[in-house]
Amino acid sequence: MKKFLLTLITAVTVFGLIACSNETTSDKEKENSGDGTTIRVVYKDETNSNPVSVKYFDELEKALEKDKDIKVNFELVDLPQGNYAEKLTLLLYGGDIPDMIYFQGGDQSLTQQGLLEDLTPYIEESEYLKDALSPYNQKRLENYPYLLWIKPLSAKTPVIRKDWFEQMETSEKLMADPTVENYHAFFKELVEKKPGGSTPNYAVTVAGDLEEINFTFNMAFGISQSWLEKSDGTYEYYKVSKNEKEKIAYYQKLYEDGLLDPQFVTKQWDTKEKAFYDGEAAVVSGTAGKVIDIYNGKMKQVNGDEAELVVLPPAKGIDQGFGVTDVTKESRGVAISSQSEHKELVFDILDYLASPEGQKLDRLGFEGEHYNVKDGEIEVTEKYYGEWYARFWEPTELTFDQPLKTPLLSGPATESQEMTIEYFKEDNSFILPEEYVANWDAMENLYREYTTDIITGKRPIDDFDKFVDAWMEAGGTQITEYANKTIK
């Protein structure tokens, strides 16, 4: 009976949502300003209060009209402060569905209700996007054709300022043989020697959970896929494996020795980065490529050129690498509302952003600020390195109408990308059926609760076994059975 009522409520909600969203789109059609079509966009960090965002979309309007004779007026939809995925879900379930939507979670429920457009036919007929896709983008779109996110591999790589790195006696040994033991010795020397005079206070910090440094350490502990094959040929989820238990014991030791930020649970992105620039933390992890580029630019701006970043290698043990790449779907990306009256136009805009002209704005920023053209060559500025990032696409093959005089990424950023590609490995994860999603969320909460308590010393490491039992009871048994039927 409960299941029937839930299905009925969901059906009524979806019907009302679609009706409401159609009405909203119709109302917005009447609000077109000038002679361009209004395209409503909701996109994390791109808000009306951000002058760079406003200028970017103004410049995009001009470029579209100049290069493609497409006349649009972008309307940025602001969300209340807080968790983006949660606030976006509230907006969409309230019936306000913009034409172009950036998701960072929460998209699957909308997809299952038919509210996101299947992008497959659009991409097949595209002028630029079909050639901009990397192999992992193509696989993700085959599995889940509703989100588009053309970016380099998003592994997070650890970095440290060069002037501190060179003062450590353990640096050379770490680079030559980055075992978990050598990482511990390196972290310990940083805290004991304090190359900043009175800092660092701790060796490494993260923003809220341990996913960032998992990229460095997972594979060393044999966590080389989401589902690990056991000796009997069956699979178990890595978070309930003996490999994970050994890794959590290692993190517990880092915490106990004062090497892991004692406030790691409450750290946010901004406070993590501030701790890094201020020298409270010696090592942070950032997404390979542009994020490392921004970290490098800001670190040099605050502490001088000698503080240029050094990229540290992934820890080595049973395996080595910066984690595995999930190809089930894009974990984030841009979607088109199936209720939009401008679906083709929205896709044309996305396709334009993959063109040489569109990439010039998206990748280079504003002429005179982030780059200049001298003697027919493009030269990026210091402001570019420290501030600019592509709002949309970063295809591997990049062509502009003029040659580049200066590289788009600094040395450390380029190295981080190259190391990520070097250690690429495909995951064996799969899209979880909707019937298991609620259980999965509860199981993830159990994981965070137990592992945080173990790492911070509130629980002994043997309580990991209690966590495994609780995880299985919360739905792990059924999901593990499903995994063993699904994984080929």
Side-chain angles (χ1 to χ4, degrees), residues 296-361:
N296 186 62
K298 289 185 178 178
M299 181 60 82
K300 293 200 300 182
Q301 184 179 22
V302 173
N303 297 293
D305 288 347
E306 65 276 9
E308 181 181 43
L309 299 183
V310 172
V311 183
L312 301 177
K316 183 173 70 172
I318 298 173
D319 200 350
Q320 186 180 19
F322 286 121
V324 288
T325 300
D326 183 0
V327 295
T328 56
K329 67 183 289 292
E330 300 291 354
S331 60
R332 64 180 65 193
V334 178
I336 299 176
S337 165
S338 65
Q339 307 306 301
S340 171
E341 295 182 0
H342 313 300
K343 293 188 286 288
E344 292 79 8
L345 177 56
V346 174
F347 187 84
D348 286 344
I349 294 167
L350 298 179
D351 194 40
Y352 170 77
L353 285 161
S355 71
E357 298 88 351
Q359 281 285 285
K360 193 169 186 178
L361 169 62

Side-chain angles (χ1 to χ4, degrees), residues 77-324:
V77 179
D78 292 339
L79 294 178
Q81 290 187 342
N83 182 285
Y84 177 78
E86 292 177 0
K87 300 301 181 183
L88 177 62
T89 298
L90 289 174
L91 175 79
L92 301 178
Y93 275 88
D96 186 356
I97 307 180
D99 303 285
M100 184 190 299
I101 310 165
Y102 170 78
F103 281 96
Q104 197 166 304
D107 52 283
Q108 282 183 251
S109 61
L110 274 295
T111 298
Q112 289 164 352
Q113 295 171 22
L115 297 175
L116 301 184
E117 189 77 356
D118 183 338
L119 301 177
T120 303
Y122 298 88
I123 292 172
E124 289 174 350
E125 298 299 321
S126 65
E127 186 174 358
Y128 303 102
L129 275 172
K130 63 177 179 289
D131 297 323
L133 300 173
S134 293
Y136 53 87
N137 295 132
Q138 294 171 346
K139 287 188 177 182
R140 289 168 179 170
L141 282 165
E142 288 171 7
N143 293 326
Y144 187 86
Y146 307 98
L147 288 188
L148 188 60
W149 195 238
I150 304 173
K151 296 282 185 177
L153 293 172
S154 57
K156 297 185 185 298
T157 54
V159 290
I160 183 173
R161 47 190 290 184
K162 185 177 182 180
D163 53 346
W164 287 13
F165 175 80
E166 291 180 340
Q167 293 181 53
M168 298 298 104
E169 295 179 4
T170 52
S171 296
E172 185 175 342
K173 190 173 182 180
L174 175 70
M175 299 303 278
D177 188 23
T179 64
V180 294
E181 293 80 12
N182 286 344
Y183 252 107
H184 185 277
F186 178 69
F187 287 165
K188 187 176 181 181
E189 186 186 6
L190 279 165
V191 173
E192 291 179 348
K193 193 168 185 177
K194 296 193 181 300
S198 59
T199 57
N201 300 336
Y202 35 84
V204 61
T205 187
V206 295
D209 60 37
L210 295 164
E211 286 304 309
E212 292 173 23
I213 61 171
N214 283 342
F215 280 91
T216 301
F217 292 105
N218 265 2
M219 294 183 76
F221 286 93
I223 303 169
S224 301
Q225 290 188 303
S226 291
W227 292 87
L228 304 180
E229 187 173 4
K230 299 193 295 183
S231 58
D232 62 0
T234 62
Y235 292 89
E236 67 176 347
Y237 189 54
Y238 81 92
K239 286 185 177 179
V240 293
S241 67
K242 63 179 179 59
N243 309 67
E244 181 72 10
K245 183 178 181 179
E246 291 170 0
K247 186 191 72 178
I248 295 301
Y250 178 76
Y251 289 167
Q252 184 187 57
K253 181 63 174 172
L254 292 182
Y255 186 90
E256 180 183 327
D257 291 349
L259 309 181
L260 175 62
D261 183 354
Q263 304 299 320
F264 77 89
V265 177
T266 57
K267 271 286 194 292
Q268 302 294 319
W269 287 101
D270 54 347
T271 54
K272 177 200 82 168
E273 292 170 0
K274 185 177 187 302
F276 183 52
Y277 301 135
D278 291 349
E280 292 179 19
V283 176
V284 297
S285 292
T287 305
K290 191 57 193 178
V291 172
I292 296 299
D293 205 28
I294 292 173
Y295 285 1
N296 186 62
K298 289 185 178 178
M299 181 60 82
K300 293 200 300 182
Q301 184 179 22
V302 173
N303 297 293
D305 288 347
E306 65 276 9
E308 181 181 43
L309 299 183
V310 172
V311 183
L312 301 177
K316 183 173 70 172
I318 298 173
D319 200 350
Q320 186 180 19
F322 286 121
V324 288

Side-chain angles (χ1 to χ4, degrees), residues 386-411:
E387 174 183 285
W388 191 259
Y389 59 91
R391 269 62 183 171
F392 289 88
W393 317 136
E394 295 180 74
T396 304
E397 299 296 327
L398 181 63
T399 304
F400 295 124
D401 57 354
Q402 295 164 307
L404 279 170
K405 183 178 180 180
T406 48
L408 295 187
L409 292 176
S410 62

